[in-house]
Amino acid sequence: MGALYLHIPFCISKCPYCDFFSEVGQQQQIDDYVEQLKRNIKIASTQDSQPLSLDTLFFGGGTPSLLSVNQLADVLRCIVRYFGINPAAEITIEANPGTLSLEKLKGYRQAGVNRLSLGIQSLDDHRLQQLGRIHTVAQARESIISARAAGFDNLSLDLMFALPNQDLLALESEIAELLTFKPEHVSVYGLSYEEGTDFFLRQQAGKIRSCDEGLYADMYLLLHNYLVAAGYNHYEISNFAKPDSLCRHNQVYWKRENCLAIGAGAHGFQDQHWGKRWHVEADLNHYKECLIQGKDPVKLLEQYDRDGAMKEYAYLRLRTSKGIDVQEFYRRFGLEFQDVFAPAILKTKDYLYASGQRRFFDVNGWLIYDHLISNFI
Ligand code: SF4
């Protein structure tokens, strides 16, 4: 499976809770960045052991939907030229409802994008304002309708929960409306207060009260129950999908498979010698300089030994409903899962299920995932 992640690190404005690498971008900066991306793609294609053709592509951000249709098509043509794209590939773009129109969505679809991940985040205008989002609920609804009209039959919607002063009833009414759009995929994220963000400072100063643990758990279970009852498979801690609509790109990440990364702030993985992770520095000037000089902007972050690889494998796989296949674990690492992780298995025995070759947590384990997984890593 060949996978490629492209990072578009620009947004119209910075949301006060966000710690992703993105900057408020001017049009000229975005135009220049597209040229840099194309150079980056060409350089990446000359490196060793690159895939012959790609099965998944993911434009993430930032706000990738700030790219015009021509820019997106230009980048895709460049990828086809240097890597090739499998005709059945999954090609996703993350989009902000405040940056879309029917015409743009039709253009993306015609350029080859076949999966749209819409950051609607909330279906309540007051909460959208609180989150500093640039769009309204009306724009979110319109984007969903336009996406369908443009031919997107693989639509993912992001919904946030555990927002300040949000209660279960309020969340329930948002889920109920979200389900009326029949998205193929739903991602849910509890608001977290990350250091370096404006929300973190406000929380520290006592200006925002974060959701207490009990309510957070109730909200997570509410989302799980609602979405499962509506026919979604809760296939990863934060992700739900209709059958056959699991995100192929994210599964590459959870399976610890190769993923190329292009663009400032992007992270990649290569499954060689127990695996290595690398990134492109989150620095637009550095990125531009490297590419002007014809240098590969990639930097090694971590080279794993077998012990590190097994721990990371457990960490990633136990996030998914499939969990760990103990035979596959043995094939990969030459050791038995139950021997390597005997103490961790014992400590998590009330939550770790066994079914045939599978070892997995269910939603109750995911509720305390950080605690449980700390035994494995
Ligand atoms: S639009 Fe997304 S990436 Fe941009 S600042 Fe807001 S949350 Fe962060």
Side-chain angles (χ1 to χ4, degrees):
M1 167 91 73
L4 170 60
Y5 174 83
L6 289 104
H7 195 70
I8 310 296
F10 300 105
C11 292
I12 288 183
S13 64
K14 193 75 192 167
C15 304
Y17 60 89
C18 173
D19 71 337
F20 294 134
F21 171 52
S22 70
E23 295 186 4
V24 175
Q26 305 303 319
Q27 191 55 51
Q28 187 59 49
Q29 252 185 311
I30 299 173
D31 297 347
D32 293 346
Y33 187 74
V34 168
E35 294 309 310
Q36 291 154 22
L37 279 180
K38 291 193 291 180
R39 286 188 192 193
N40 191 172
I41 291 163
K42 183 177 174 188
I43 291 171
S45 72
T46 62
Q47 306 303 318
D48 289 342
S49 59
Q50 299 306 354
L52 290 176
S53 86
L54 297 165
D55 302 292
T56 79
L57 267 89
F58 196 104
F59 288 84
T63 305
S65 53
L66 284 175
L67 295 183
S68 69
V69 171
N70 284 341
Q71 287 174 325
L72 182 105
D74 202 16
V75 172
L76 282 173
R77 274 193 297 273
C78 183
I79 295 170
V80 169
R81 177 168 174 206
Y82 289 105
F83 287 99
I85 300 178
N86 180 333
E90 175 190 273
I91 306 179
T92 303
I93 189 166
E94 287 182 336
N96 185 315
T99 61
L100 295 175
S101 64
L102 176 59
E103 199 189 352
K104 193 178 212 180
L105 285 162
K106 280 184 178 167
Y108 284 168
R109 188 70 195 88
Q110 274 162 15
V113 178
N114 52 26
R115 185 171 182 275
L116 185 72
S117 173
L118 259 185
I120 61 168
Q121 313 307 359
S122 173
L123 288 161
D124 177 314
D125 274 323
H126 169 67
R127 296 196 199 291
L128 287 175
Q129 271 178 15
Q130 214 175 27
L131 292 168
R133 302 290 299 180
I134 58 164
H135 68 273
T136 60
V137 174
Q139 283 173 305
R141 290 180 187 131
E142 200 182 314
S143 299
I144 295 168
I145 292 163
S146 297
R148 294 303 196 193
F152 281 99
D153 57 8
N154 194 354
L155 178 64
S156 180
L157 300 180
D158 288 354
L159 184 72
M160 294 179 71
F161 69 98
L163 304 180
N165 303 320
Q166 188 179 35
D167 60 21
L168 284 171
L169 266 181
L171 178 63
E172 195 172 348
S173 86
E174 292 195 44
I175 312 168
E177 180 174 357
L178 180 136
L179 288 176
T180 63
F181 299 113
K182 299 185 169 46
E184 282 68 32
H185 190 279
V186 179
S187 299
V188 300
Y189 302 104
L191 176 65
S192 58
Y193 297 82
E194 304 296 336
E195 225 173 315
T197 63
D198 197 39
F199 264 31
F200 177 79
L201 294 175
R202 286 194 230 167
Q203 187 209 30
Q204 295 291 304
K207 292 182 183 159
I208 309 182
R209 217 161 59 97
S210 50
C211 173
D212 75 55
E213 270 182 33
L215 181 57
Y216 189 102
D218 288 345
M219 286 186 171
Y220 185 67
L221 291 174
L222 180 77
L223 287 161
H224 169 85
N225 292 335
Y226 246 87
L227 288 160
V228 169
Y232 291 85
N233 172 5
H234 193 173
Y235 74 106
E236 194 266 348
I237 289 185
S238 302
N239 288 285
F240 298 81
K242 288 282 174 140
D244 304 325
S245 296
L246 279 64
C247 175
R248 276 151 57 191
H249 188 85
N250 284 346
Q251 288 185 85
V252 166
Y253 175 67
W254 299 317
K255 287 181 181 170
R256 216 168 172 266
E257 291 177 347
N258 292 337
C259 185
L260 282 161
I262 302 282
H267 286 67
F269 179 74
Q270 214 171 17
D271 186 20
Q272 261 181 349
H273 313 299
W274 306 120
K276 62 178 176 181
R277 285 202 182 276
W278 40 269
H279 76 153
V280 181
E281 249 179 75
D283 178 334
L284 286 169
N285 289 331
H286 176 76
Y287 185 64
K288 183 178 173 183
E289 278 310 308
C290 277
L291 293 163
I292 287 173
Q293 292 169 28
K295 284 193 208 155
D296 190 343
V298 153
K299 267 198 184 150
L300 182 68
L301 272 182
E302 185 159 5
Q303 171 77 63
Y304 294 82
D305 57 13
R306 182 164 66 172
D307 188 50
M310 288 188 296
K311 286 176 177 168
E312 191 184 70
Y313 184 83
Y315 172 82
L316 293 172
R317 294 307 291 253
L318 288 171
R319 294 178 63 93
T320 68
S321 59
K322 281 198 171 156
I324 287 172
D325 177 320
V326 293
Q327 275 183 348
E328 196 206 325
F329 185 92
Y330 185 79
R331 270 199 304 277
R332 277 206 180 202
F333 301 110
L335 295 171
E336 298 287 356
F337 174 70
Q338 51 271 38
D339 295 339
V340 175
F341 291 111
I345 292 168
L346 189 65
K347 282 188 181 157
T348 57
K349 65 178 176 12
D350 293 340
Y351 293 93
L352 188 67
Y353 293 94
S355 170
Q357 304 301 320
R358 285 171 57 221
R359 304 291 180 271
F360 59 97
F361 294 134
D362 71 358
V363 67
N364 294 305
W366 288 340
L367 262 178
I368 50 167
Y369 190 71
D370 290 349
H371 167 66
L372 294 177
I373 204 65
S374 65
N375 295 293
F376 289 83
I377 56 180

